[in-house]
């Protein structure tokens, strides 16, 4: 009887904790927009969690970032002296905030508009997709998603395109010909239209995919 009462007591405490978590987990999100203005941006590095990231061409030559943040989930956006723009995900959640549903999809999406000719672009996220429209950079483009797909089209790189996905597919196209790129492709538990190794070329294409497929085309 004592054991049963103890179990019921623990269940009651746990139920109260869940009820409290449901209330404390509620967040108020606000849509925001960051613009570079007169600030010179030479490269961009985005490192977030549980956020879908869409990168599109800028129509005015500036950097624009559309996002939503709350009192518990927000971002640190800054530009260094050498022109590197960084955007990182910050949170002050307690353990009870992780019980329940995720914020709506509209609050978990970041849209970044970038001009042509940056020295480099890096995008990294978890559990969501990365979508990149036609862009050209002087140096390297690096895309990484742990738990989501990578999609891109007509990317032009000066030195290297590096794409890494886990539990997701890599699908896209690169400007240039087959002979322009040295290729290093590693796929585990998936299929690929690229060879594991191809030498030659003045640029590099590095693809790593675990539990997903790789399909990358070369376009003029």
């Amino acid at each position: 009887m004592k054991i049963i009462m103890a179990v019921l007591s623990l269940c009651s405490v746990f139920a109260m904790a869940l009820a409290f978590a449901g209330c404390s987990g509620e967040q108020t999100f606000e849509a925001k927009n960051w613009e570079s203005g007169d600030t010179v941006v030479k490269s961009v590095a985005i490192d977030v969690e549980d956020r879908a990231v869409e990168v599109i061409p800028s129509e005015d030559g500036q950097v624009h970032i559309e996002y939503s943040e709350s009192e518990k989930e927000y971002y640190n956006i800054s530009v260094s002296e050498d022109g590197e723009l960084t955007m990182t995900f910050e949170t002050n959640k307690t353990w009870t905030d992780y019980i329940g549903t995720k914020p709506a999809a509209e609050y978990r999406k970041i849209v970044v508009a970038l001009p042509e000719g940056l020295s480099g672009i890096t995008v990294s996220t978890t559990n969501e997709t990365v979508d990149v429209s036609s862009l050209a950079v002087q140096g390297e483009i690096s895309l990484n998603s742990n738990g989501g797909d990578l999609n891109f089209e007509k990317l032009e790189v000066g030195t290297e395109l590096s794409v890494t996905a886990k539990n997701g597919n890599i699908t896209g196209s690169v400007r240039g010909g087959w002979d322009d790129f040295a290729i290093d492709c590693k796929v585990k538990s998936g299929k690929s239209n690229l060879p594991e190794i191809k030498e030659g070329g003045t640029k590099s294409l590095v693809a790593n995919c675990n539990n997903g497929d790789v399909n990358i085309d070369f376009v003029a």
Side-chain angles (χ1 to χ4, degrees):
M1 185 67 177
K2 291 182 179 180
I3 295 176
I4 295 176
M5 292 299 294
V7 171
L8 291 175
S9 178
L10 286 173
C11 291
S12 177
V13 170
F14 186 66
M16 291 178 64
L18 288 177
F20 175 76
C23 294
S24 64
E26 295 179 357
Q27 302 180 62
T28 301
F29 282 85
E30 179 183 356
K32 296 190 174 182
N33 192 324
W34 185 93
E35 298 180 353
S36 57
D38 295 332
T39 303
V40 177
V41 175
K42 298 180 180 179
S43 63
V44 173
I46 298 174
D47 188 359
V48 294
E49 299 175 8
D50 302 326
R51 294 296 187 268
V53 182
E54 181 180 3
V55 182
I56 61 176
S58 173
E59 296 182 353
D60 60 6
Q62 295 187 8
V63 177
H64 301 268
I65 307 177
E66 297 178 2
Y67 59 98
S68 297
E69 62 182 11
S70 70
E71 66 280 3
K72 294 184 178 182
E73 298 182 33
Y74 45 91
Y75 303 94
N76 180 15
I77 303 175
S78 62
V79 181
S80 66
E81 292 183 357
D82 59 359
E84 181 183 39
L85 185 154
T86 59
M87 180 179 189
T88 56
F89 179 74
E90 307 286 343
T91 180
N92 61 4
K93 285 184 174 183
T94 63
W95 70 270
T96 56
D97 294 318
Y98 292 93
I99 301 175
T101 60
K102 293 181 179 180
E106 62 185 292
Y107 303 133
R108 293 184 286 110
K109 183 175 182 178
I110 301 169
V111 179
V112 186
L114 299 179
E116 298 275 314
L118 294 176
S119 63
I121 300 172
T122 299
V123 179
S124 180
T125 192
T126 62
N127 302 317
E128 292 287 354
T129 62
V130 175
D131 295 286
V132 185
S133 298
S134 179
L135 285 175
V137 302
Q138 298 178 6
E140 177 184 353
I141 295 178
S142 177
L143 308 176
N144 186 313
S145 180
N146 186 345
D149 295 335
L150 297 180
N151 304 304
F152 52 91
E153 60 177 350
K154 297 181 180 180
L155 298 186
E156 181 174 347
V157 295
T159 57
E160 180 175 294
L161 173 63
S162 176
V163 287
T164 302
K166 183 177 181 180
N167 297 324
N169 299 317
I170 300 175
T171 306
S173 59
V174 183
R175 294 185 203 172
W178 174 266
D179 294 333
D180 296 328
F181 288 86
I183 298 174
D184 184 349
C185 180
K186 296 180 176 63
V187 178
K188 184 177 180 180
S189 300
K191 300 178 181 179
S192 173
N193 71 331
L194 299 178
E196 291 186 6
I197 294 291
K198 172 191 169 295
E199 298 180 349
T202 58
K203 306 176 184 181
S204 297
L205 172 56
V206 180
N208 289 280
C209 191
N210 188 341
N211 196 26
D213 298 333
V214 174
N215 193 327
I216 300 176
D217 296 321
F218 300 88
V219 298

